Amino acid sequence: MVGTRRDGGKRYWCLQHKADATAKYGKRAVRCRYAFIPPISSAEKLTIDPTSYGGGIAIWGAVPPIYDTTGHPLERGVHVHARTHPEADKVIDQSYRSVEVVINNTGQTVEISELDAIYFMVSSVFGYEMKFVECTFCHFPHLDKDWFSVHNHRRHLCAGCGHLFRDDVRGIGNPAMKIRESFPHHHEINKARKSKRLRQTDYLGGIQIWGSNSALLWTANRNEESGIHLHAFDQDGKIKIDDTFSTVTVDNITLDPKLVRLLMAQSGLPHIAGRVMSIHCEQCGKEHFDEGEYAFTPHDNHCCNSCGSKLRGKGKFRKTISNPICATLAQLAKFAVREPLQQESHLLTETL
């Protein structure tokens, strides 16, 4: 037992899996919340030394594509690109559950977990700064997940020991920020120069679509590109397109990079799962778009961006979030070579 909950019940903590082990009514659970997650195998972990890759390495948080007609397995975690020379092909292009980065030939490493990378993506897309935070009791690096990854706060629940602690200032903790101290970012993020038009029937192996997001680590001597990242496969499963574009038009339907990127970040917030949808204004015919805090805060009264009419979402939830890209993806599905996958993120909600 490590403390009490807000309702006065006891709170138990699993030190092995670093997770809550409290059952209903404040009783000790048989298993903690993360007991079902398998341990990381050697194949799911990468140790990488940036000095061995003259073309640079890049690390992002990976979540499932917002649109996927390929049938490929779910990819989630820490995505790594690495090149031996600036003009060479990628020798590493894969996602891992954990990545250890060697620091400046010292032999010391900084570990980036899959959740560190995913929530770095979520916080950065929504425009929130992160910081390295340690528990004041056990000094375990702290990660703010789900709701806490998009709300600055001082009181944190340590995953290492299960105790509540207070930081000096309000903020959002992410252990991956430790790597920024060793690899300062001096490059820029520029809009991709190329655009792309395609038909889904020309790529019988399916397509995958993501929004771009800033790299957690970038060591290449060139700037990053922002836009829409696209994969397209032929009927034999060979990838024919693997690039980032400023705009992508599929079957004469143009995707908005901002909305694509936002939906990707929204998919990393399990507390709003099922609440993101397209809300259409019947008065002016425009699609409504929730921005700022409304993009991650479900609410029942929406105000049309165009005419000011009051709107409500349709479905089982009273409080919703509107992102017009949901209607766009439904249109794309009508021309798909196979039904788009509805991939679950398997991320858990987080509460105090």
Side-chain angles (χ1 to χ4, degrees):
M1 202 270 286
V2 294
T4 57
R5 303 182 302 176
R6 287 180 174 178
D7 61 4
K10 295 179 180 179
R11 188 173 70 250
Y12 295 89
W13 203 258
C14 173
L15 299 180
Q16 179 183 353
H17 298 107
K18 312 296 185 187
D20 188 19
T22 310
K24 197 173 181 179
Y25 307 120
K27 295 182 179 180
R28 182 175 179 174
V30 177
R31 297 179 182 85
C32 75
R33 299 183 74 213
Y34 283 89
F36 71 95
I37 298 178
I40 300 175
S41 67
S42 58
E44 297 173 312
K45 186 173 183 177
L46 173 70
T47 299
I48 189 168
D49 185 349
T51 61
S52 300
Y53 298 92
I57 68 170
I59 296 177
W60 296 270
V63 293
I66 67 161
Y67 185 78
D68 186 354
T69 60
T70 65
H72 292 172
L74 169 70
E75 186 170 314
R76 193 192 85 177
V78 190
H79 194 74
V80 180
H81 285 180
R83 288 180 168 90
T84 54
H85 302 286
E87 303 304 322
D89 292 334
K90 289 172 285 191
V91 293
I92 301 177
D93 184 1
Q94 189 173 336
S95 294
Y96 301 86
R97 291 182 62 192
S98 174
V99 173
E100 285 188 338
V101 181
V102 179
I103 306 298
N104 297 330
N105 290 321
T106 63
Q108 297 179 333
T109 62
V110 173
E111 183 177 3
I112 305 167
S113 75
E114 57 183 335
L115 292 181
D116 295 343
I118 290 170
Y119 284 109
F120 178 91
M121 179 275 293
V122 171
S123 297
S124 60
V125 167
F126 285 114
Y128 283 89
E129 295 289 335
M130 291 155 279
K131 58 180 292 193
F132 183 78
V133 176
E134 282 185 331
C135 173
T136 56
F137 295 100
C138 69
H139 303 291
F140 190 78
H142 180 69
L143 171 64
D144 281 312
K145 301 178 285 244
D146 193 24
W147 187 93
F148 301 96
S149 69
V150 288
H151 291 85
N152 289 313
H153 53 288
R154 287 186 63 186
R155 191 172 68 153
H156 304 274
L157 177 61
C158 177
C161 65
H163 287 93
L164 290 167
F165 69 95
R166 293 179 69 86
D167 194 21
D168 295 334
V169 296
R170 291 167 58 87
I172 295 170
N174 193 313
M177 295 305 293
K178 192 74 171 179
I179 205 167
R180 292 297 183 95
E181 300 174 7
S182 302
F183 297 93
H185 282 209
H186 300 298
H187 67 284
E188 297 179 353
I189 302 176
N190 300 324
K191 183 179 179 180
R193 296 181 179 181
K194 298 175 291 185
S195 60
K196 186 67 178 179
R197 298 183 67 92
L198 71 151
R199 296 182 304 175
Q200 294 185 79
T201 53
D202 291 336
Y203 300 93
L204 298 181
I207 67 172
Q208 297 173 319
I209 297 171
W210 294 266
S212 65
N213 63 97
S214 58
L216 191 158
L217 175 61
W218 181 275
T219 66
N221 291 321
R222 62 182 184 277
N223 293 327
E224 285 187 71
E225 289 187 326
S226 68
I228 296 175
H229 193 71
L230 173 68
H231 287 179
F233 300 83
D234 65 16
Q235 61 183 355
D236 298 321
K238 183 178 180 180
I239 191 163
K240 308 301 291 184
I241 302 175
D242 179 2
D243 209 343
T244 299
F245 302 94
S246 57
T247 59
V248 172
T249 301
V250 183
D251 295 314
N252 294 320
I253 299 171
T254 300
L255 307 179
D256 185 326
K258 181 178 180 180
L259 301 185
V260 171
R261 183 164 51 249
L262 193 63
L263 183 61
M264 186 178 69
Q266 289 167 332
S267 71
L269 294 173
H271 77 282
I272 64 173
R275 297 179 183 270
V276 181
M277 61 186 63
S278 289
I279 299 178
H280 181 80
C281 178
E282 296 181 358
Q283 297 296 321
C284 68
K286 301 291 186 180
E287 294 287 344
H288 176 60
F289 176 35
D290 281 320
E291 299 186 77
E293 292 189 6
Y294 288 121
F296 53 80
T297 306
H299 49 289
D300 52 1
N301 289 317
H302 300 263
C303 181
C304 177
N305 305 115
S306 298
C307 68
S309 298
K310 298 298 182 183
L311 309 173
R312 282 184 178 272
K314 297 179 180 179
K316 65 177 181 179
F317 294 114
R318 181 172 61 89
K319 295 184 177 182
T320 57
I321 297 168
S322 183
N323 186 338
I325 197 66
C326 296
T328 304
L329 298 181
Q331 284 294 110
L332 287 186
K334 296 178 181 179
F335 304 96
V337 294
R338 64 182 60 83
E339 185 176 355
L341 297 176
Q342 301 297 321
Q343 296 185 344
E344 299 290 337
S345 70
H346 301 296
L347 298 172
L348 300 181
T349 55
E350 296 291 328
T351 64
L352 287 177

